[in-house]
Amino acid sequence: MSRTTHLPLLLLTLCSASWLPSAALPMEKLADAKLCADKECVYAISMARANDDFTAPDCRFINIKKGQMIFIYSKLLPKEGAGVFWSGSVYSDRYIDQMGIIGYFPGNLVTEIHVYNEDPIKVLTTDVDFYCI
């Protein structure tokens, strides 16, 4: 191939990369440690039902609606004087657009209805746990 054939490909690559987000936005760390079912926090600790609505204040959090089912993946161990936040994802046929999105919400707004892991482990949080992408 000639150099002129490579030029359009190079320009296309550079242009398409320009719309990608350049960096995540670091946010305040909500806790230094969390409880998880495993060391990567990929398995659900429990299933819970939302007792009330919650509107996410920023991109670290998820919106929840009263009655929604939520898979719980971690429970933050709060700093002194801080709120108790859990991370999870909504499970609902009615809110398909929110399924699979993991975020934080106040733990006191839900009731655990099924516990998958009775003995969660303590895992240190990292700054990435609180980035907004």
Side-chain angles (χ1 to χ4, degrees):
M1 279 192 193
S2 69
R3 282 188 227 173
T4 55
T5 308
H6 290 289
L7 184 60
L9 182 58
L10 176 64
L11 289 174
L12 178 63
T13 304
L14 292 174
C15 290
S16 63
S18 66
W19 63 267
L20 295 173
S22 58
L25 178 63
M27 302 292 282
E28 176 187 356
K29 202 170 182 183
L30 300 172
D32 293 322
K34 58 189 174 180
L35 295 176
C36 298
D38 61 287
K39 64 182 179 176
E40 289 87 20
C41 299
V42 296
Y43 294 103
I45 296 173
S46 61
M47 171 72 82
R49 183 182 317 277
N51 298 324
D52 208 349
D53 292 351
F54 174 72
T55 303
D58 63 47
C59 66
R60 295 172 295 178
F61 296 86
I62 59 171
N63 296 318
I64 59 175
K65 302 285 183 202
K66 183 176 182 174
Q68 279 184 317
M69 303 302 289
I70 302 165
F71 283 108
I72 310 299
Y73 294 102
S74 70
K75 298 176 179 180
L76 296 181
L77 297 172
K79 296 179 179 182
E80 190 171 324
V84 176
F85 295 104
W86 294 358
S87 75
S89 65
V90 172
Y91 177 78
S92 170
D93 291 336
R94 189 171 174 196
Y95 299 97
I96 293 173
D97 59 322
Q98 295 177 20
M99 287 176 60
I101 298 172
I102 297 175
Y104 295 102
F105 56 89
N108 64 344
L109 290 182
V110 300
T111 300
E112 287 181 292
I113 58 171
H114 185 76
V115 177
Y116 301 116
N117 185 308
E118 297 283 344
D119 192 26
I121 61 173
K122 183 177 177 179
V123 177
L124 296 178
T125 61
T126 66
D127 290 338
V128 175
D129 288 322
F130 307 104
Y131 271 35
C132 284
I133 298 176

